[in-house]
Protein backbone atom coordinates (compact mmCIF):
# COMPACT_ATOMS: atom_id res chain seq x y z
CA UNK A 1 0.00 0.00 0.00
CA UNK A 2 1.39 3.40 -0.95
CA UNK A 3 0.95 6.44 1.25
CA UNK A 4 -2.28 8.35 0.57
CA UNK A 5 -0.47 11.63 1.24
CA UNK A 6 2.93 11.39 -0.46
CA UNK A 7 2.64 8.15 -2.52
CA UNK A 8 5.80 6.62 -1.02
CA UNK A 9 5.74 2.99 0.09
CA UNK A 10 4.50 2.25 3.61
CA UNK A 11 5.16 -0.48 6.15
CA UNK A 12 2.22 -2.18 7.80
CA UNK A 13 1.59 -3.46 11.29
CA UNK A 14 -1.36 -5.12 13.01
CA UNK A 15 -2.82 -4.05 16.35
CA UNK A 16 -3.02 -7.36 18.22
CA UNK A 17 -5.91 -6.17 20.41
CA UNK A 18 -8.24 -5.18 17.59
CA UNK A 19 -6.71 -6.98 14.62
CA UNK A 20 -6.81 -3.71 12.70
CA UNK A 21 -4.08 -3.22 10.11
CA UNK A 22 -2.26 0.12 10.04
CA UNK A 23 0.03 1.58 7.40
CA UNK A 24 2.90 3.85 8.36
CA UNK A 25 4.74 6.13 5.95
CA UNK A 26 8.30 6.83 7.04
CA UNK A 27 8.60 9.62 4.51
CA UNK A 28 5.74 11.92 5.65
CA UNK A 29 4.95 10.13 8.98
CA UNK A 30 1.31 9.57 8.05
CA UNK A 31 -0.37 6.56 9.69
CA UNK A 32 -3.69 5.24 8.43
CA UNK A 33 -5.94 2.34 9.27
CA UNK A 34 -6.64 -0.18 6.54
CA UNK A 35 -9.39 1.27 4.33
CA UNK A 36 -11.13 -2.14 4.59
CA UNK A 37 -12.23 -1.19 8.12
CA UNK A 38 -13.63 2.26 7.30
CA UNK A 39 -17.22 2.80 8.37
CA UNK A 40 -19.95 3.98 6.06
CA UNK A 41 -21.72 7.30 6.48
CA UNK A 42 -24.63 5.98 8.58
CA UNK A 43 -22.40 4.11 11.04
CA UNK A 44 -20.30 7.25 11.49
CA UNK A 45 -23.38 9.36 12.07
CA UNK A 46 -24.61 6.95 14.74
CA UNK A 47 -21.29 7.21 16.53
CA UNK A 48 -21.23 11.02 16.33
CA UNK A 49 -24.74 11.22 17.75
CA UNK A 50 -23.32 9.77 20.96
CA UNK A 51 -21.09 12.81 21.40
CA UNK A 52 -22.78 15.08 23.92
CA UNK A 53 -21.71 18.53 22.87
CA UNK A 54 -23.59 21.09 24.87
CA UNK A 55 -22.82 24.66 23.83
CA UNK A 56 -23.36 25.85 27.38
CA UNK A 57 -20.84 23.42 28.77
CA UNK A 58 -18.01 25.46 30.23
CA UNK A 59 -15.44 22.74 29.58
CA UNK A 60 -16.36 22.69 25.93
CA UNK A 61 -16.05 26.47 25.69
CA UNK A 62 -12.66 26.32 27.43
CA UNK A 63 -11.56 23.64 24.99
CA UNK A 64 -12.34 25.86 21.99
CA UNK A 65 -10.85 28.85 23.76
CA UNK A 66 -7.50 27.05 24.06
CA UNK A 67 -7.58 26.49 20.31
CA UNK A 68 -8.40 30.15 19.64
CA UNK A 69 -5.73 31.33 22.10
CA UNK A 70 -3.16 29.41 20.05
CA UNK A 71 -4.56 30.35 16.65
CA UNK A 72 -5.73 33.95 16.72
CA UNK A 73 -2.38 35.64 17.56
CA UNK A 74 -0.93 33.95 14.43
CA UNK A 75 -3.49 34.87 11.79
CA UNK A 76 -3.60 38.67 11.59
CA UNK A 77 -7.07 40.19 11.43
CA UNK A 78 -9.32 37.82 9.50
CA UNK A 79 -12.62 39.30 8.33
CA UNK A 80 -14.37 36.09 7.42
CA UNK A 81 -13.82 32.58 8.68
CA UNK A 82 -15.23 29.10 8.19
CA UNK A 83 -15.50 26.34 10.79
CA UNK A 84 -15.04 23.26 8.61
CA UNK A 85 -16.54 20.12 10.18
CA UNK A 86 -18.14 21.88 13.13
CA UNK A 87 -20.23 18.88 14.18
CA UNK A 88 -23.65 19.58 15.65
CA UNK A 89 -22.56 22.78 17.35
CA UNK A 90 -21.81 26.21 15.94
CA UNK A 91 -20.14 27.24 19.21
CA UNK A 92 -16.68 27.84 17.72
CA UNK A 93 -18.25 30.08 15.06
CA UNK A 94 -20.05 31.96 17.82
CA UNK A 95 -16.80 32.44 19.74
CA UNK A 96 -15.13 33.79 16.59
CA UNK A 97 -18.05 36.16 16.00
CA UNK A 98 -17.47 37.47 19.52
CA UNK A 99 -13.90 38.29 18.42
CA UNK A 100 -15.32 40.30 15.53
CA UNK A 101 -14.72 37.62 12.89
CA UNK A 102 -17.71 36.79 10.71
CA UNK A 103 -17.86 32.99 10.68
CA UNK A 104 -19.69 30.40 8.59
CA UNK A 105 -19.87 26.77 9.62
CA UNK A 106 -20.15 23.53 7.71
CA UNK A 107 -20.47 19.89 8.64
CA UNK A 108 -21.09 17.02 6.20
CA UNK A 109 -23.46 15.33 8.68
CA UNK A 110 -25.16 18.10 10.68
CA UNK A 111 -24.93 21.19 8.47
CA UNK A 112 -24.37 19.86 4.95
CA UNK A 113 -25.87 22.70 2.90
CA UNK A 114 -24.15 25.74 4.36
CA UNK A 115 -21.22 26.12 1.95
CA UNK A 116 -21.50 28.88 -0.60
CA UNK A 117 -20.06 28.03 -4.00
CA UNK A 118 -16.92 30.05 -4.68
CA UNK A 119 -16.90 31.90 -1.34
CA UNK A 120 -13.39 32.43 0.00
CA UNK A 121 -12.15 32.92 3.54
CA UNK A 122 -9.29 34.61 5.41
CA UNK A 123 -9.30 31.83 8.00
CA UNK A 124 -10.55 28.25 8.04
CA UNK A 125 -10.57 26.35 11.33
CA UNK A 126 -11.07 22.62 11.66
CA UNK A 127 -10.96 20.98 15.08
CA UNK A 128 -11.01 17.20 15.60
CA UNK A 129 -12.01 16.60 12.00
CA UNK A 130 -8.97 15.46 10.07
CA UNK A 131 -8.52 12.20 12.03
CA UNK A 132 -11.96 11.13 10.71
CA UNK A 133 -11.29 11.71 7.02
CA UNK A 134 -11.17 8.88 4.49
CA UNK A 135 -9.47 11.22 2.02
CA UNK A 136 -7.59 13.86 4.03
CA UNK A 137 -5.43 14.91 1.09
CA UNK A 138 -8.46 15.70 -1.06
CA UNK A 139 -10.16 17.55 1.80
CA UNK A 140 -6.98 19.51 2.50
CA UNK A 141 -6.89 20.56 -1.17
CA UNK A 142 -10.57 21.53 -0.99
CA UNK A 143 -10.21 23.73 2.09
CA UNK A 144 -7.05 25.40 0.75
CA UNK A 145 -9.01 26.22 -2.42
CA UNK A 146 -11.56 28.00 -0.21
CA UNK A 147 -8.86 30.26 1.27
CA UNK A 148 -8.01 33.71 0.00
CA UNK A 149 -4.39 34.11 -1.04
CA UNK A 150 -2.38 34.43 2.25
CA UNK A 151 -5.39 33.04 4.15
CA UNK A 152 -4.82 30.75 7.13
CA UNK A 153 -5.80 27.17 7.88
CA UNK A 154 -5.80 26.17 11.57
CA UNK A 155 -6.22 22.48 12.37
CA UNK A 156 -6.56 20.63 15.64
CA UNK A 157 -5.99 16.88 15.66
CA UNK A 158 -3.80 14.83 18.03
CA UNK A 159 -0.34 14.30 16.53
CA UNK A 160 1.28 10.91 17.00
CA UNK A 161 4.90 10.71 18.11
CA UNK A 162 6.11 8.66 15.10
CA UNK A 163 7.19 5.97 17.55
CA UNK A 164 5.29 2.76 16.82
CA UNK A 165 5.81 1.35 20.31
CA UNK A 166 4.10 4.42 21.76
CA UNK A 167 1.50 4.40 19.02
CA UNK A 168 0.36 0.90 19.96
CA UNK A 169 -0.66 2.02 23.45
CA UNK A 170 -2.07 5.39 22.36
CA UNK A 171 -5.75 5.97 23.21
CA UNK A 172 -6.50 8.14 20.20
CA UNK A 173 -6.85 5.44 17.55
CA UNK A 174 -9.13 3.29 19.76
CA UNK A 175 -12.06 5.47 18.63
CA UNK A 176 -13.36 3.56 15.62
CA UNK A 177 -14.09 6.79 13.75
CA UNK A 178 -10.46 7.93 14.12
CA UNK A 179 -8.81 6.42 11.08
CA UNK A 180 -5.89 8.62 9.99
CA UNK A 181 -3.07 10.16 12.06
CA UNK A 182 -0.65 12.99 11.41
CA UNK A 183 2.45 14.72 12.66
CA UNK A 184 3.58 18.24 11.78
CA UNK A 185 5.77 16.57 9.12
CA UNK A 186 2.67 15.17 7.39
CA UNK A 187 1.19 18.67 7.26
CA UNK A 188 4.49 20.04 6.00
CA UNK A 189 4.29 17.61 3.06
CA UNK A 190 0.64 18.56 2.41
CA UNK A 191 1.60 22.24 2.54
CA UNK A 192 4.31 21.70 -0.07
CA UNK A 193 1.83 19.93 -2.35
CA UNK A 194 -0.79 22.68 -2.16
CA UNK A 195 1.27 25.87 -2.03
CA UNK A 196 1.10 26.56 1.68
CA UNK A 197 3.59 26.77 4.51
CA UNK A 198 3.51 26.13 8.24
CA UNK A 199 3.28 29.24 10.40
CA UNK A 200 3.48 27.45 13.74
CA UNK A 201 2.55 24.22 15.50
CA UNK A 202 2.67 23.10 19.12
CA UNK A 203 4.10 19.62 18.34
CA UNK A 204 1.06 18.14 20.04
CA UNK A 205 -2.32 18.84 18.49
CA UNK A 206 -2.52 22.30 16.85
CA UNK A 207 -1.06 23.71 13.66
CA UNK A 208 -1.55 26.95 11.74
CA UNK A 209 -0.69 27.08 8.04
CA UNK A 210 -0.82 29.86 5.50
CA UNK A 211 -1.68 29.77 1.81
CA UNK A 212 1.16 31.07 -0.32
CA UNK A 213 4.92 30.57 -0.35
CA UNK A 214 6.88 31.49 2.74
CA UNK A 215 8.46 34.58 1.14
CA UNK A 216 5.26 35.71 -0.56
ZN1 LIG B 1 3.69 9.60 3.11
Amino acid sequence: MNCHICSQSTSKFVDKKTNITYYHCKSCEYIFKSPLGYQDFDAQKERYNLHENNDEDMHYQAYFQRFLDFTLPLVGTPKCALDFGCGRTSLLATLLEKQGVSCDYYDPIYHPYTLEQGKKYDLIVSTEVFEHLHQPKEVFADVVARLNECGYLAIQTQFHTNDLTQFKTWYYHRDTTHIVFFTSKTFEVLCRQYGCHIVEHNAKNMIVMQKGKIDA
Side-chain angles (χ1 to χ4, degrees):
M1 181 89 70
N2 285 349
C3 175
H4 293 166
I5 301 291
C6 74
S7 306
Q8 299 295 308
S9 58
T10 60
S11 52
K12 74 173 178 178
F13 59 95
V14 177
D15 183 332
K16 289 204 176 71
K17 260 189 199 156
T18 58
N19 221 23
I20 292 172
T21 301
Y22 293 76
Y23 296 88
H24 177 218
C25 175
K26 288 197 175 61
S27 177
C28 76
E29 303 182 352
Y30 183 54
I31 297 179
F32 56 105
K33 287 183 185 172
S34 165
L36 296 173
Y38 291 1
Q39 295 177 318
D40 65 21
F41 196 73
D42 287 334
Q44 288 182 62
K45 188 168 179 174
E46 227 164 82
R47 167 85 196 183
Y48 295 136
N49 281 334
L50 297 175
H51 283 253
E52 270 310 322
N53 291 340
N54 182 347
D55 286 3
E56 301 304 318
D57 187 278
M58 294 306 285
H59 294 293
Y60 203 50
Q61 293 222 18
Y63 163 85
F64 279 139
Q65 198 56 52
R66 278 196 295 278
F67 173 72
L68 291 178
D69 288 347
F70 178 80
T71 299
L72 288 178
L74 300 169
V75 298
T77 49
K79 284 193 185 65
C80 56
L82 169 68
D83 182 3
F84 185 89
C86 59
R88 208 177 341 208
T89 173
S90 55
L91 177 60
L92 183 54
T94 306
L95 292 175
L96 276 163
E97 299 265 355
K98 277 186 190 161
Q99 302 279 337
V101 184
S102 152
C103 192
D104 294 345
Y105 51 90
Y106 163 79
D107 189 88
I109 290 177
Y110 296 106
H111 305 282
Y113 308 113
T114 53
L115 281 181
E116 237 175 85
Q117 184 96 29
K119 182 167 179 181
K120 301 232 176 178
Y121 297 92
D122 300 327
L123 170 65
I124 296 178
V125 295
S126 194
T127 64
E128 304 294 327
V129 172
F130 268 68
E131 66 276 11
H132 299 281
L133 298 175
H134 293 184
Q135 297 182 296
K137 181 173 164 162
E138 287 72 10
V139 172
F140 189 91
D142 178 61
V143 290
V144 168
R146 293 177 193 279
L147 282 175
N148 286 319
E149 204 52 40
C150 300
Y152 293 90
L153 171 60
I155 290 176
Q156 176 168 319
T157 183
Q158 295 293 325
F159 300 165
H160 66 82
T161 58
N162 207 36
D163 175 328
L164 292 189
T165 309
Q166 286 180 7
F167 186 88
K168 283 168 189 168
T169 58
W170 193 34
Y171 77 99
Y172 202 59
H173 58 89
R174 298 286 171 221
D175 184 323
T176 54
T177 66
H178 292 181
I179 52 178
V180 298
F181 310 94
F182 307 81
T183 67
S184 61
K185 176 81 183 287
T186 323
F187 286 110
E188 189 188 313
V189 170
L190 280 166
C191 278
R192 228 179 288 142
Q193 289 174 351
Y194 294 102
C196 302
H197 63 273
I198 293 176
V199 176
E200 200 162 312
H201 66 81
N202 68 354
K204 190 175 163 235
N205 64 340
M206 299 180 201
I207 183 163
V208 173
M209 296 157 279
Q210 186 178 23
K211 187 170 177 174
K213 296 277 175 277
I214 199 150
D215 52 356

